[in-house]
Amino acid sequence: MSSIPETPWIWKNGSFIPWADAHVHILSHSVQFGSAAFEGIRCYNTPKGSAIFRLREHLQRLVHSCHIYRTEIPYTMDELVDACRAVVVKNDVKFCYIRPMVVRGLGAIGMAPYDSPIEVYIPCWPWGAYLGDEALAQGVDACVSTWTRMSPNTVPSLAKIAGNYLSGQLIKMEAMANGYAEGIGLGAGGMVSEGAGQNVFLVQNGTLITTPLDGTLLAGITRASIIDIAARAGIPFREQAIPREMLYTADEVFFTGTAVELTPVRSVDRIRVGAGKPGPITLQVQKEFLDIVNGRAEDTFGWLTYVK
Ligand code: PMP
């Protein structure tokens, strides 16, 4: 268990406010109804300075999350990019997690948020490996959750919206209560969806496989990056609906996400995956990914935005 480490400043609506002043009213629409749109972005400490991973792609997803909910962010893409870079510089952190949030504030009395102001906050704080360095190296034990993920056309899974994370909370708490590091949700059709806050990949006979964007999961930016890395490395890849038992029979399973980066899964439901340790393709794409984001390999995909 851990709590968020405090940094001095939070960007709010175009200026910086002290961390302690970043309050919202209890009756804000987003507090009552879960309507905050948000992002989670990593900034890495590279030899050439602090660099934010796929910043524009993350901010584009934030814009899309808002757009789905008929909310237009009152800042341009370039302004949001500059704000994210500025908050890292202002807080003088070398590596961090950046959490842009678009909040509907106090105003609207009912479901429609139109009478609530649109407030944009960008906090950041230093953050290392989410599941720990050992998880990145050895892999984690995961379970399939008893909780089903949201179905298509219920709440939109492509929007990264606070309310969607009720599903992730249930999956994560149940996994922890049963002694697992993470849980994997199935869709209503019984096929693999995603983890509490990460996408799922597996390797079978040398082919990398992940689930399609079927309306039950978030389109992870790490997911897209791993697909790009695999394509360049000549690793065969396909999207396919994944039955639960394929998690048990796969040669390799891993999670991807901003928080978990690429974390191997060594068992699912106490059934060993492959050799019970990270497999060769997992290690290959993990190394490539971590080398690029940490500035140890050339950023040939153009994924890094330096803060200065
Ligand atoms: N699924 C969910 C539900 C998530 O919260 C996240 C983290 N944003 C992901 C997948 C992975 O997305 P990304 O790689 O963009 O962090």
Side-chain angles (χ1 to χ4, degrees):
M1 316 250 176
S2 54
S3 38
I4 298 176
E6 185 175 329
T7 48
W9 301 102
I10 290 177
W11 189 96
K12 181 191 176 191
N13 298 342
S15 49
F16 290 103
I17 61 167
W19 175 279
D21 294 351
H23 298 298
V24 294
H25 195 279
I26 187 67
L27 291 175
S28 293
H29 186 272
S30 288
V31 176
Q32 291 197 71
F33 304 124
S35 57
F38 67 101
E39 271 303 318
I41 314 173
R42 268 191 197 264
C43 174
Y44 290 89
N45 185 15
T46 82
K48 287 194 276 176
S50 300
I52 305 174
F53 179 64
R54 305 201 76 173
L55 177 57
R56 279 179 192 270
E57 288 86 345
H58 278 282
L59 292 172
Q60 189 60 60
R61 190 170 65 188
L62 182 69
V63 168
H64 285 158
S65 297
C66 290
H67 192 66
I68 291 167
Y69 283 89
R70 302 172 196 267
T71 294
E72 302 306 319
I73 301 175
Y75 299 99
T76 64
M77 179 57 71
D78 286 343
E79 285 169 335
L80 293 171
V81 166
D82 288 345
C84 289
R85 294 168 66 193
V87 80
V88 175
V89 173
K90 179 92 174 165
N91 282 309
D92 197 23
V93 282
K94 297 279 176 277
F95 63 93
C96 64
Y97 187 75
I98 308 169
R99 164 72 88 224
M101 302 187 69
V102 180
V103 174
R104 300 300 302 230
L106 176 67
I109 199 167
M111 288 298 121
Y114 303 125
D115 291 326
S116 288
I118 299 167
E119 288 162 356
V120 183
Y121 292 82
I122 311 180
C124 73
W125 61 85
W127 207 31
Y130 171 62
L131 296 172
D133 288 328
E134 200 192 312
L136 282 175
Q138 312 290 330
V140 295
D141 301 307
C143 61
V144 172
S145 184
T146 64
W147 291 102
T148 300
R149 294 275 309 163
M150 59 266 225
S151 293
N153 210 33
T154 55
V155 287
S157 71
L158 290 181
K160 190 167 169 66
I161 297 281
N164 288 14
Y165 285 78
L166 295 170
S167 164
Q169 290 173 45
L170 292 167
I171 291 171
K172 179 80 185 188
M173 288 190 291
E174 184 189 56
M176 288 170 71
N178 291 321
Y180 298 97
E182 274 299 334
I184 298 169
L186 306 180
M191 305 302 251
V192 171
S193 170
E194 64 176 345
Q198 57 280 116
N199 295 119
V200 178
F201 281 77
L202 56 82
V203 176
Q204 198 165 52
N205 300 326
T207 297
L208 186 65
I209 301 171
T210 194
T211 52
L213 301 177
D214 61 358
T216 73
L217 56 112
L218 187 72
I221 289 162
T222 320
R223 172 187 184 276
S225 308
I226 294 302
I227 294 169
D228 287 348
I229 286 172
R232 190 171 70 180
I235 298 167
F237 165 76
R238 68 169 185 268
E239 287 183 355
Q240 77 154 80
I242 298 176
R244 172 180 186 161
E245 59 273 25
M246 249 176 110
L247 298 171
Y248 309 144
T249 58
D251 301 320
E252 307 175 31
V253 174
F254 60 86
F255 288 129
T256 64
T258 300
V260 298
E261 300 174 293
L262 190 159
T263 296
V265 176
R266 63 186 176 194
S267 73
V268 178
D269 296 334
R270 308 260 181 246
I271 299 177
R272 195 187 63 244
V273 173
K277 57 181 194 188
I281 291 181
T282 302
L283 291 174
Q284 182 187 346
V285 292
Q286 183 195 48
K287 179 176 187 319
E288 179 82 20
F289 176 80
L290 292 175
D291 281 353
I292 293 174
V293 298
N294 286 291
R296 295 189 291 262
E298 204 188 330
D299 177 23
T300 42
F301 292 108
W303 283 339
L304 301 181
T305 301
Y306 289 88
V307 301
K308 285 188 185 151

